[in-house]
Amino acid sequence: MSDGQAATSRRTALKFLGAGGGAVAASALLSACNGAQSNTSAGGVGAFPSTPPWRFTFINHVTTNSFFVPTKNGLADAAKLLGLPEPQWTGSTEGNVSEMASAMSTAINGNVDGIAVALTDNNAFVAPTKQALAKGIPVIAYNATAAGNYPLTYVGQDLYQSGFLMGQRIARDVTSGTILVGISQPGGNNVQPRLDGITDALKQAAPSVQVLSINTGAEQANELNAITAAYDGHTDAKGVYAVDAGSTASIAQLIKNRGIQGKIHAGGYDTLTDTLNGVQSGALDFTIDQSAYLQGFLPVLYMYLFRLSGTLVSPPFTDTGLTFVTKENVGPYISANSRFEGGPKNDLVPMPSSIPLPAATGATH
């Protein structure tokens, strides 16, 4: 999501909350939060007052996808930190929007205390979001958001900008010819903006490059077959890339299986084990870390504070960032094998002896 899109989303939410049926929703939110507070007493977590055992629900589009392991770790950690029950994790296993919308309606009818939803579709979640707000249930978008909907905020990567930066990175290595780009759900708000960003960046930086998108499907187990078939049909491709976690890991496996490391450029998203190993070996030029852990941790924290404050602490738009992971900086990801990136270790991760210089204040990314 670009800064302009984020501002539009916030204006849309404010417009709904501030007029017509939105005024009822705003009143319901305030009443629900204040009503919950009236039943509490001192003695909560840290310096906070005690609260009811607020129940939060996360609606996801690929509930069993390994990308979201750190997201689930994050939401569980935040709930434990705040003394709340672990949020429910539900939705669809294969990107079925109807199943997601049904899961969201179930949560609303069950009077949960907050909903985080990946808004992968522009239309399916508008009515449920309005219904939730009207019942006093805060709604936060995470991982993907949608123009024209009314979440209180968005927690996730600026998807188009990340794709644009990835396109610029590709143009450093590939200046002409065809590249293959795997995408798990063409048109989905969680991945399509990245592909659009790549395409737009290459039009500017390397206009002789042709982008051929490959529909790899939402089911992670089948993505390797889709990527392999696409490569077999285009062995003259100059690069193989992806805009989702499973497709990127599949590219790393493809390059290893076919022994084509060094013969083709490659890269993608996220920090699955095969992906990190591919970066370390040189099979992948890079992968992009979007902080999946924060996409679970922060929505829980934001919904908690929103309710605790009676809506006064409004959750901020949060870009969870973009880090290019390359052979030069992949070491800590692999050695830590941390639950923050989906690994099994819960150990304290040691700090490096020095911290890389971040982008200067005022930079556009």
Side-chain angles (χ1 to χ4, degrees):
M1 175 189 276
S2 67
D3 290 342
Q5 288 173 314
T8 300
S9 178
R10 288 193 294 271
R11 286 195 297 270
T12 303
L14 289 172
K15 181 178 180 181
F16 174 68
L17 289 171
V24 177
S27 177
L29 280 169
L30 184 59
S31 176
C33 292
N34 285 339
Q37 285 179 308
S38 66
N39 295 322
T40 65
S41 59
V45 175
F48 294 126
S50 63
T51 71
W54 288 326
R55 298 176 299 118
F56 300 145
T57 294
F58 278 68
I59 310 297
N60 190 261
H61 48 294
V62 281
T63 53
T64 59
N65 192 292
S66 52
F67 164 79
F68 285 106
V69 170
T71 305
K72 293 167 70 177
N73 289 342
L75 65 88
D77 287 352
K80 187 173 183 180
L81 183 70
L82 299 171
L84 299 178
E86 183 171 323
Q88 182 186 20
W89 181 258
T90 186
S92 173
T93 60
E94 299 179 9
N96 187 305
V97 172
S98 296
E99 291 178 358
M100 294 174 66
S102 177
M104 188 171 178
S105 294
T106 298
I108 295 167
N109 292 334
N111 296 313
V112 299
D113 299 296
I115 295 173
V117 54
L119 295 177
T120 56
D121 183 87
N122 284 338
N123 302 311
F125 307 104
V126 175
T129 299
K130 289 182 177 180
Q131 182 187 2
L133 295 175
K135 290 189 68 173
I137 302 172
V139 177
I140 288 178
Y142 76 101
N143 189 254
T145 192
N149 207 324
Y150 305 94
L152 299 177
T153 195
Y154 168 62
V155 178
Q157 189 179 65
D158 185 329
L159 300 170
Y160 175 85
Q161 177 71 357
S162 76
F164 195 89
L165 293 175
M166 179 172 169
Q168 291 179 327
R169 175 67 174 76
I170 293 170
R172 290 165 42 183
D173 299 320
V174 182
T175 57
S176 64
T178 299
I179 64 169
L180 309 179
V181 181
I183 177 170
S184 59
Q185 293 176 272
N189 289 342
N190 56 317
V191 285
Q192 186 64 46
R194 291 173 175 163
L195 180 58
D196 295 342
I198 290 171
T199 302
D200 289 349
L202 287 172
K203 285 179 181 178
Q204 296 180 19
S208 295
V209 174
Q210 178 185 0
V211 177
L212 180 59
S213 64
I214 308 300
N215 182 355
T216 58
E219 191 171 350
Q220 193 173 1
N222 294 331
E223 290 182 297
L224 177 58
N225 292 335
I227 286 290
T228 300
Y231 175 74
D232 287 343
H234 301 85
T235 54
D236 60 340
K238 299 295 182 65
V240 186
Y241 300 93
V243 293
D244 64 274
S247 298
T248 302
S250 296
I251 291 171
Q253 294 176 62
L254 165 69
I255 292 174
K256 179 180 179 180
N257 294 343
R258 294 299 174 86
I260 54 176
Q261 181 173 321
K263 300 178 182 179
I264 191 168
H265 288 286
Y269 279 85
D270 304 320
T271 57
L272 301 188
T273 299
D274 284 327
T275 297
L276 293 175
N277 289 338
V279 171
Q280 185 180 50
S281 71
L284 300 180
D285 299 327
F286 64 86
T287 191
I288 293 174
D289 181 9
Q290 60 172 308
S291 295
Y293 181 89
L294 290 179
Q295 295 178 27
F297 187 91
L298 291 179
V300 172
L301 183 63
Y302 289 170
M303 288 187 286
Y304 173 85
L305 291 174
F306 188 74
R307 296 198 69 92
L308 188 71
S309 69
T311 77
L312 296 180
V313 179
S314 183
F317 163 78
T318 305
D319 181 355
T320 56
L322 177 153
T323 300
F324 278 97
V325 181
T326 65
K327 199 168 186 177
E328 287 69 35
N329 65 347
V330 72
Y333 285 85
I334 292 177
S335 61
N337 201 13
S338 168
R339 68 195 311 275
F340 294 110
E341 295 293 341
K345 291 185 179 178
N346 196 28
D347 304 332
L348 180 68
V349 180
M351 286 287 291
S353 57
S354 64
I355 300 174
L357 194 67
T361 301
T364 57
H365 59 271

